[in-house]
Amino acid sequence: MTHVTDALCSFALNTNFGDIPEDVIHEMKRILIDGLGNAVGGIASDKGKIGLSFAGKVGGTPEATVLGVGGKISAPMAAFVNSELLNGLDYDPIPHIPPILIPSVLAVAEAERADGKSFLTALTIGHDVAARLNGVLGSVMMSSIAKYGKTPDVFGNSNENMLGAAIGNALLMKLDHARMAQALGISAYFCPLPVCRDWESTLPKTMIKYAPVSWCAQGAVQAAMIAREGYTGNAYTLDSEYGFPVIYCRENVWDPDKVIEGLGEKWAVRNTMFKPYPCCRFLHASLDVFYRLKAAHGFSPESITAVRCHTGAFVAHPDQYAVSNQIDAQFSGPYNIALAAFGYTPGPQWQDKRCLTDPTVHDFMQKVTMHVAPEYSELKKTEPGSFYARVEIDLKDGTTLVDSTDYPRGSNTGATRISTQELADRFRICAGVILPDHKIEKALDIIQHLEDYDSLDPLMEALTL
């Protein structure tokens, strides 16, 4: 039998900062720039604000910092609130590892007084473990969409990333192999139910989204904490006949050999897909094409009579014209196309009350229709990372503009790759909702040189008022 648990724990315990390739550390820093910017910008979201209110009431031993507003609370609660903030704008990369991993490992690193190298090591290893589990267990969603045009009746989306975060936390706590395995097993039992299909079919869209990321982040901290105290779970639930993979995903997709293939050589962080827009990734290719046509032809919103977006089947929002809250907005193709048409800057602005209630935006939404493109599923068969989209725009002068793309920006390959400069600029936009410019620039500099710091205190000071 393949022992996934032992392989993952041995990988974590035997990998030092110097063992991780430079390009992998560089990519992890890019994810950190993206994630921390999203978290501070998430203060503009109702989801983030409620998280802040809740965390302020619970508090706890001052161990870890609340991003943006400052102040220290317990590590589990800091992981909770910072996760709500990071996921608030739906700007986080694909797969959705950062909202669970970064707040969790950041809180533990601060509580354990870790240096920059230790933090980056735990973050990178935790990300790799999470991505490996996500790549296998999460495949059921994409394969079902490609085959049936819908998601499975029972599936989870990103909950399993908390297992990777638990590994990173156990590493920072200096747990041995046996207790690290316990942290992994406990976090698997903490993992929420695979109720993503239920969330998809609910209107209005709810703040808990496709996964309760804040609980996953908090649970990953607590799993490692109680494992350190001697608490036990099924340490080998990833290898058990009736264990986590069977419970979490009833489709027969579990492949233990694939999970551990190339550990320490094939780093999943290299495949991260960044988002240029604060909305569901399934909408990005259509937005890319719309922006490209707009740049080429310079049309105004008033000159458009119809916009037809042809892309993959999208079931995360049952009625994309019903936009009454920020989460509705994040999963509505017509809404986001309307914002692109009117020139709103991608970022917190896309979900503020002005946009959500702008009658001209809602009127324009009625011109936008979403259609399933057969090319989407066909291309997925040979190019799994593709997100085909074709956009047709009818203008009042009788002209129809047409363009298409196979890959959205941020796919991290070739011309689609988002530069570090663009990520830094986006960090400035998001963090600018609360932080002054000098702190924003200081935070960016620290992240780029994090391995040189003996503690995370300077970073936390730069990321808070």
Side-chain angles (χ1 to χ4, degrees), residues 72-73 120 141 191 209 219 233 238 242-243 269 297 305 338 366 398 400 412 437 461:
K72 289 191 176 185
I73 54 180
L120 285 171
M141 178 179 73
C191 191
K209 293 191 180 179
L238 290 180
Y242 304 107
V269 68
H297 301 278
T305 59
Q366 305 308 312
T400 296
N412 224 4
D437 289 347
E461 196 281 330

Side-chain angles (χ1 to χ4, degrees), residues 140-283:
V140 65
M141 178 179 73
M142 297 304 294
S143 61
S144 179
I145 291 173
K147 189 174 182 180
Y148 305 112
K150 66 180 186 69
T151 51
D153 292 341
V154 177
F155 79 105
N157 181 355
S158 305
N159 297 326
E160 69 277 4
N161 296 335
M162 70 186 298
L163 279 67
I167 286 282
N169 293 334
L171 193 60
L172 286 168
M173 292 181 187
K174 297 181 172 58
L175 303 192
D176 60 18
H177 188 110
R179 294 203 175 186
M180 181 177 285
Q182 290 294 348
L184 186 65
I186 294 166
S187 67
Y189 269 48
F190 280 180
C191 191
L193 293 170
V195 294
C196 196
R197 186 61 187 276
D198 179 59
W199 172 80
E200 286 178 347
S201 62
T202 301
L203 275 179
K205 303 309 299 174
T206 64
M207 291 181 184
I208 205 162
K209 293 191 180 179
Y210 39 79
V213 293
S214 54
W215 162 245
C216 292
Q218 178 183 344
V221 174
Q222 293 182 188
M225 289 178 70
I226 61 176
R228 178 166 58 181
E229 298 297 321
Y231 196 93
T232 60
N234 180 2
Y236 287 89
T237 189
L238 290 180
D239 303 290
S240 301
E241 182 180 3
Y242 304 107
F244 177 80
V246 178
I247 299 165
Y248 183 67
C249 187
R250 69 181 188 180
E251 298 283 341
N252 187 27
V253 299
W254 179 243
D255 186 343
D257 292 318
K258 186 175 181 180
V259 172
I260 63 175
E261 178 186 1
L263 272 170
E265 298 173 0
K266 298 179 179 179
W267 292 88
V269 68
R270 292 176 172 135
N271 302 320
T272 300
M273 294 185 289
F274 292 94
K275 287 183 173 183
Y277 318 111
C279 59
C280 181
R281 184 62 168 169
F282 279 83
L283 306 174

